[in-house]
Amino acid sequence: MSADAAPTAVTTDVVVIGAGLSGLVTATELTAAGRRVVLLDQEPEASFGGQAWWSFGGLFLVGSPEQRAMGVHDSADLAWSDWLGSAQFAPGAERGEGPDRHGYAWARRFVEFASGDLRSWLHGKGVRWFPLVQWAERGGYAVGRGDDTATEHGNTVPRFHVTWGTGPGILAPFVAAARAARDAGLLDVRFRRRVTELVTTDGRVTGVRAEVLADQPTDGLPFGGRGAASNRDVVGTEELAAGAVVVATGGIGANHDLARSRWDAAVGTLPARMLSGVPDSTDGLMLGIAADAGAALVHEDRMWHYPEGIANHSPVWTNHGIRILPGPSSLWLDADGHRLPAPLFPGFDALGALRHVTRRGDDHSWFVLNKTIMEAEFALSGSEQNPDLTGKDVKLLAQRVLPKAVGPVARFAAESPEFLWADTPTELAAKMNALVDATPGSHGHVDPDELAAVVAARDAQVASGLGKDPQVVATRAARDYRVDKLIRVAKPRPLTTPKDGPLLAVRLSVLTRKTLGGLWCDPSGRVLQADGSVLDGLWAVGEAAGFGGGGVHGHRALEGTFLGGCLHTGRTTGRALATAL
């Protein structure tokens, strides 16, 4: 799949822009139906598969054999109730009315897909899963209030299925299918192509204009140059005519200025200092190009960023951050050392915690815990931070049940300046304040006496054996789930238990990741104009389409639904487009 220059004009059935997971699924569905496809991507071949390669490989599955083996009772109806409680779609969406109507329709079908064909479809392609299903986004809000929203945000049961092989394991069958289609003469993959314009003829999108970018040396770079910032040196141009164009270029996570400008002002502001959870190429530029051609963008203020980011000690891209996947025991404190309100506990409501941070105008918050809790409860997101699962290494995987931190967590604990160790709360507060004072533009001060009092109050609740503190109660309840008891939740003990020390504070920064809004699309993936009419010839998938309809998640996501959304939109739209041509 070379980046050699192509003729200046090409006629093909479909041009797919973006060679990430959603673009690959779309392209391979089209070629499986005999359609000819040109697949364009602005990055080098080393980055084939896009940001999905870097993911933890988590999928939202409902009623799976893995759940049943763990004693989890799930159903499509329960999952749909959870989805609606989290999404909070605008009134009328269920009747096919208003701006959320297409997102609602895509959501309904996604939950059916997650409880139906998704697992068997991937299983047939050789994909397998780690058997211990994880419980992400627990919510913790009241249910059954008797009004029209009987549930609030959160997964009632564990649904986060980690792929054996993580993100690369999900990509593998689609990369193989793409190569087979190329060999059959149906797929032409062109790297280092940056689309600058959608060509329209009589109101219909009929092709693209693109710049051909210079080759990007990758020798000596981590991961063979995958994810590293590439040059934008233009060495040529080309125009491609097509029966249809599909936008599969992802969201805006690496474009911090754009993210800040679109963040909902009602919940504060995104800080000036942020980390990026996606490579530099996730710049959102193609969304603007589509809008220039008449496409409607909806729900641009809906985003899914994380408040639990830490700077990567070995960065691959600009401002590279890693997300901590925490268990529920750590105290979560704001920049001034105050506990976040219930149920904003670690692992319960990521967006709620983020909004708490942005409303205050902070650029950080804190986890306060001890060494034993870190070893039991900290995991890190991403394929490169989970070499056991990514490499399918059973011997290395066995370390997860041992009473020590897994290797990547232990390395952060030893090398990251954001991991602060101390023997007493007073000493810990001094180190927390020193780190903030050394960070330009950052603010916040933790009072040593107040921190000591917070830790003592929490410890008294734990030492009681029961406790009324909602986080202590929630942590004890988490251990009722066998996976949490085995590998994710430490046995409740006071933070100041000597054998569990020393104490630890971890500075958490905002980590940009996903865009929940995007190009407004109908139930087949056709892009719409502002008046709701179809923009003929243009289709969208994946994050560029808000993972379906311009906003399948509504206001909040349940996790495992991003890769699943790429798979669902790519399969649905690829098949619909193949039929429409």
Side-chain angles (χ1 to χ4, degrees):
M1 298 182 181
S2 116
D4 294 340
T8 56
V10 173
T11 301
T12 188
D13 292 329
V14 182
V15 169
V16 177
I17 310 169
L21 179 59
S22 63
L24 277 172
V25 175
T26 305
T28 53
E29 287 290 339
L30 286 162
T31 56
R35 304 294 185 255
R36 294 174 300 118
V37 178
V38 177
L39 179 60
L40 306 177
D41 198 280
Q42 66 180 342
E43 294 306 296
E45 185 172 359
S47 291
F48 196 31
Q51 68 188 74
W53 190 91
W54 298 97
S55 75
F56 198 20
L59 289 176
F60 178 97
L61 297 175
V62 178
S64 70
E66 290 79 14
Q67 285 178 302
R68 292 192 291 272
M70 292 297 106
V72 174
H73 304 285
D74 201 5
S75 69
D77 287 343
L78 183 60
W80 181 237
S81 176
D82 286 348
W83 194 289
L84 289 179
S86 295
Q88 295 294 303
F89 290 118
E94 72 283 2
R95 300 189 300 273
E97 301 170 0
D100 272 335
R101 62 185 183 274
H102 295 310
Y104 181 98
W106 275 94
R108 175 82 263 189
R109 289 192 298 166
F110 178 79
V111 172
E112 292 170 355
F113 184 51
S115 60
D117 290 346
L118 176 54
R119 187 185 182 281
S120 59
W121 178 57
L122 290 176
H123 193 276
K125 296 178 181 294
V127 179
R128 299 294 184 268
W129 294 272
F130 182 50
L132 304 184
V133 183
Q134 305 295 298
W135 199 345
E137 290 297 298
R138 300 167 190 248
Y141 297 93
V143 300
R145 297 191 310 272
D147 57 17
D148 291 336
T149 48
T151 66
E152 286 277 6
H153 172 68
N155 284 296
T156 300
V157 297
R159 298 188 174 108
F160 191 81
H161 295 64
V162 178
T163 300
W164 188 231
T166 65
I170 290 180
L171 280 168
F174 300 102
V175 171
R179 289 180 171 144
R182 176 203 59 186
D183 294 344
L186 290 171
L187 181 63
D188 179 4
V189 183
R190 302 185 183 184
F191 299 100
R192 307 300 285 148
R193 266 53 172 191
R194 180 173 61 178
V195 173
T196 57
E197 184 180 355
L198 294 175
V199 178
T200 58
T201 305
D202 297 327
R204 177 183 175 84
V205 175
T206 56
V208 303
R209 294 189 179 97
E211 295 172 337
V212 182
L213 303 178
D215 289 339
Q216 176 70 27
T218 58
D219 294 344
L221 293 175
F223 301 99
R226 177 184 288 272
S230 60
N231 70 68
R232 292 296 180 261
D233 301 331
V234 179
V235 297
T237 60
E238 64 184 27
E239 182 172 328
L240 293 86
V245 174
V246 180
V247 178
T249 50
I252 66 173
N255 192 332
H256 290 188
D257 289 339
L258 190 57
R260 276 188 286 266
S261 71
R262 292 182 175 177
W263 184 250
D264 184 359
V267 290
T269 58
L270 288 176
R273 183 185 66 84
M274 294 193 293
L275 301 172
S276 285
V278 294
D280 297 78
S281 56
T282 311
D283 52 25
L285 297 182
M286 194 63 222
L287 297 176
I289 292 169
D292 290 342
L297 287 168
V298 294
H299 309 312
E300 295 181 79
D301 60 345
R302 297 182 187 176
M303 306 174 205
W304 190 260
H305 306 311
Y306 292 109
E308 316 103 322
I310 50 176
N312 194 345
H313 51 68
S314 303
V316 177
W317 55 77
T318 306
N319 298 317
H320 189 177
I322 301 296
R323 185 195 177 200
I324 294 176
L325 303 175
S329 299
S330 300
L331 288 173
W332 201 338
L333 310 180
D334 65 27
D336 291 318
H338 308 132
R339 289 182 72 178
L340 270 60
L344 302 183
F345 315 133
F348 279 66
D349 181 0
L351 189 61
L354 174 60
R355 288 174 171 174
H356 186 84
V357 171
T358 60
R359 282 192 179 101
R360 284 178 44 88
D362 297 332
D363 69 353
H364 70 282
S365 59
W366 298 97
F367 282 160
V368 171
L369 59 157
N370 59 34
K371 184 172 182 287
T372 294
I373 291 174
M374 183 203 75
E375 291 174 340
E377 296 193 2
F378 272 19
L380 301 171
S381 184
S383 57
E384 84 281 20
Q385 297 298 328
N386 293 277
D388 50 353
L389 292 162
T390 302
K392 302 180 180 180
D393 188 327
V394 176
K395 184 177 180 181
L396 190 59
L397 181 68
Q399 295 182 7
R400 290 183 181 257
V401 299
L402 299 177
K404 294 291 182 183
V406 294
V409 172
R411 184 177 178 189
F412 267 93
E415 298 185 17
S416 172
E418 299 182 302
F419 279 60
L420 307 175
W421 299 93
D423 291 325
T424 68
T426 299
E427 180 187 351
L428 193 64
K431 291 186 175 184
M432 295 161 75
N433 292 330
L435 180 59
V436 173
D437 291 343
T439 304
S442 192
H443 63 84
H445 179 83
V446 177
D447 182 273
D449 293 336
E450 289 186 10
L451 180 60
V454 166
V455 170
R458 181 265 182 198
D459 284 359
Q461 291 292 303
V462 173
S464 74
L466 292 172
K468 64 183 179 182
D469 181 271
Q471 183 177 0
V472 171
V473 173
T475 301
R476 291 189 184 281
R479 287 175 58 85
D480 288 340
Y481 177 46
R482 66 182 68 173
V483 173
D484 282 345
K485 187 173 184 178
L486 177 65
I487 65 169
R488 291 294 287 149
V489 182
K491 185 176 180 180
R493 285 198 293 262
L495 292 179
T496 50
T497 302
K499 68 177 181 178
D500 292 340
L503 293 173
L504 169 63
V506 182
R507 182 176 68 175
L508 309 172
S509 300
V510 175
L511 179 72
T512 61
R513 186 65 65 84
K514 292 291 185 296
T515 321
L516 299 188
L519 292 167
W520 200 23
C521 302
D522 74 2
S524 64
R526 297 183 300 175
V527 173
L528 304 175
Q529 301 179 89
D531 63 0
S533 63
V534 172
L535 178 56
D536 285 338
L538 189 63
W539 305 63
V541 294
E543 192 176 354
F547 300 93
V552 70
H553 298 97
H555 291 277
R556 273 181 167 89
L558 290 173
E559 290 291 7
T561 57
F562 300 135
L563 291 177
C566 290
L567 294 164
H568 184 230
T569 55
R571 189 174 98 144
T572 300
T573 298
R575 293 179 179 184
L577 178 51
T579 301
L581 287 172

